[in-house]
Amino acid sequence: MKYRNLGNTGYEVSRVVYGGIVSSSFLDDRVIYEDGQKKSDYYVSYAIEHGVNYFDVAPSYGNAQEMLGNSLAPYRKKVFLACKTQHRVREQAEQEMRESLRMLKTDYFDVYQLHALSTMEELETAFGPGGVMELLTYMKQQGIARKVGITAHSESVALKALEYYPFDTVLFPFNWHLNMAYKMGNDLLEAARKKGVGVLCMKSMIERSWKDDEDRYASSYPKSWCRPFDVKDESDLLMAAVRYALSLDVDTIIPPGNFDHFKFAVEHIDEMIDDPLSDADRQLLSGHLAAVSDYPFFDPK
C-alpha cells in the first residue's frame, strides 16, 4: 500500500480508503444483506492487513456505524476515522454526532465532515445562527474533531464553502465521465491545492447512474449508490477510470460500498499508480462516453 499526505492535515493516508458502507448489513427496509458482524470484522481485518489506515462512515449508511465500530475497536488508535453529519442545524447535528461517537466506540474523530452539501441555501443555514458550523468549530476547538471537512456533489457549493471556512478536507466525485465531458472538479482541485486542503475522491470506479431500482437491486452491487464498472467483466475500463482520477492528483480514493471493489482497489492501487493513465486509457474511456450519456448520476451544472 502506498501512502500520501492528505493536504496540510499532517495525516499520511493510504491511497485507498475503506468506505463504511462495506461494513453495513442493510441500507433500507427493502434490501437486507447477510454480511453481518463477522463479515464486517473480516473486511476490516483485511483492510488493516493490507495497509489501509483511513476509514470513512456516515449515519446514513444503514447500520454501518455499529458494524464498523465493533470491527474497528481493536485498531482505533492506529487508524484515521472520518464521520459525517447531514444536518444543517447545530442541535440536531450534535445529537447525531454523540450517537456516532457511541456507536463507533471512540471519543474523537480524526475528520468530521459537513456531508452532502447540495445547495447554497443549505450552506447559508449551516453557517447561519444556530447552524451546524457552530458545532464543527466547537468540536475542533475541543479536539472532538481533529480536522473538519466537507463532502459535496455540487462544485459551486463546495467552492463557496472553502471561501467561508478553512476546511481541512474535501470529498468529491472526481469521476472520469464528469471530468472528461464537463471539466467538473477542475476548479475545486485548483482551489483545494492552493489552500492545502486534502482531496478525497469518491466515484472513481463509477460508470453511470442506475437505470432504476430494479437495475440496482438485481445487480451484484446494490450497496453502491451508482453503477460501478464490474470488477471481472469491465476491469480494463475500471482501471482506466481509476487511473483517470489519480491523474487529476487526488490524494486518495474511496471505492464503492461493496467489498469486491474495495478489494480490487487494494490489490491494484500500486499498479495503477506506478503505471499511470495512458493514451490508450483515455481513448478507451472517451469511446465509452456515449454509452453513459443517458445516465448521468446527477446534473453536473
Side-chain angles (χ1 to χ4, degrees):
M1 178 60 63
K2 295 181 184 295
Y3 299 85
R4 174 164 163 148
N5 291 328
L6 184 61
N8 290 341
T9 61
Y11 298 165
E12 189 176 33
V13 302
S14 50
R15 299 302 299 273
V16 177
V17 169
Y18 184 96
I21 299 176
V22 176
S23 279
S24 66
S25 57
F26 70 85
L27 289 179
D28 54 44
D29 293 336
R30 176 174 177 175
V31 182
I32 304 296
Y33 301 95
E34 297 180 356
D35 290 1
Q37 190 63 60
K38 288 185 178 181
K39 281 290 185 69
S40 175
D41 293 348
Y42 167 72
Y43 297 153
V44 169
S45 66
Y46 172 92
I48 296 292
E49 289 168 5
H50 287 79
V52 174
N53 69 352
Y54 193 106
F55 293 75
D56 177 276
V57 71
S60 57
Y61 298 167
N63 65 342
Q65 289 186 118
E66 179 183 0
M67 296 291 104
L68 182 61
N70 292 330
S71 300
L72 203 56
Y75 315 106
R76 175 65 188 98
K77 300 299 182 182
K78 301 177 182 179
V79 301
F80 301 108
L81 177 60
C83 195
K84 312 179 179 87
T85 181
Q86 210 161 330
H87 289 296
R88 308 304 183 222
V89 176
R90 175 174 183 162
E91 183 178 358
Q92 297 169 334
E94 190 158 7
Q95 294 175 2
E96 182 182 61
M97 176 270 289
R98 300 205 180 278
E99 182 66 2
S100 292
L101 288 170
R102 184 188 69 80
M103 286 194 288
L104 289 163
K105 302 182 185 302
T106 187
D107 56 4
Y108 72 95
F109 298 112
D110 296 284
V111 180
Y112 197 72
Q113 299 153 107
L114 186 54
H115 186 35
L117 284 171
S118 301
T119 67
M120 292 299 180
E121 290 77 14
E122 290 180 24
L123 193 62
E124 295 300 329
T125 300
F127 278 89
V132 66
M133 282 307 301
E134 293 181 3
L135 174 65
L136 267 66
T137 302
Y138 169 80
M139 289 174 67
K140 192 169 185 180
Q141 291 171 345
Q142 298 298 313
I144 302 171
R146 296 184 173 177
K147 308 293 177 182
V148 296
I150 58 170
T151 85
H153 285 82
S154 168
E155 185 171 18
S156 60
V157 174
L159 285 165
K160 184 62 67 175
L162 294 187
E163 292 179 12
Y164 281 6
Y165 183 85
F167 287 101
D168 299 294
T169 65
V170 58
L171 171 57
F172 192 80
F174 299 102
N175 170 268
W176 67 278
H177 173 204
L178 296 175
N179 189 267
M180 289 184 85
Y182 308 104
K183 308 301 180 186
M184 182 174 165
N186 287 349
D187 291 343
L188 182 57
L189 281 165
E190 182 179 359
R193 290 298 171 226
K194 286 181 179 179
K195 296 174 183 289
V197 178
V199 177
L200 302 115
C201 171
M202 57 175 155
K203 295 182 170 62
S204 63
M205 295 182 167
I206 295 300
E207 181 202 25
R208 57 168 173 80
S209 66
W210 295 111
K211 296 177 182 178
D212 49 38
D213 283 351
E214 183 178 354
D215 185 28
R216 175 181 178 181
Y217 296 132
S219 77
S220 299
Y221 312 117
K223 286 186 183 181
S224 179
W225 307 120
C226 306
R227 185 193 185 279
F229 287 113
D230 187 80
V231 295
K232 295 179 180 178
D233 297 335
E234 300 169 316
S235 60
D236 288 349
L237 279 162
L238 194 160
M239 292 185 71
V242 175
R243 285 190 176 110
Y244 189 96
L246 293 171
S247 77
L248 298 176
D249 202 32
V250 301
D251 292 325
T252 186
I253 65 166
I254 304 180
N258 58 82
F259 183 68
D260 288 347
H261 282 85
F262 173 72
K263 184 173 184 286
F264 185 95
V266 168
E267 291 179 349
H268 293 88
I269 189 64
D270 286 1
E271 175 187 352
M272 291 186 285
I273 292 172
D274 292 339
D275 185 16
L277 187 74
S278 66
D279 289 340
D281 290 327
R282 287 185 181 275
Q283 291 174 5
L284 181 64
L285 293 171
S286 179
H288 197 66
L289 279 174
V292 300
S293 60
D294 290 338
Y295 300 100
F297 46 88
F298 65 94
D299 184 355
K301 297 178 182 178

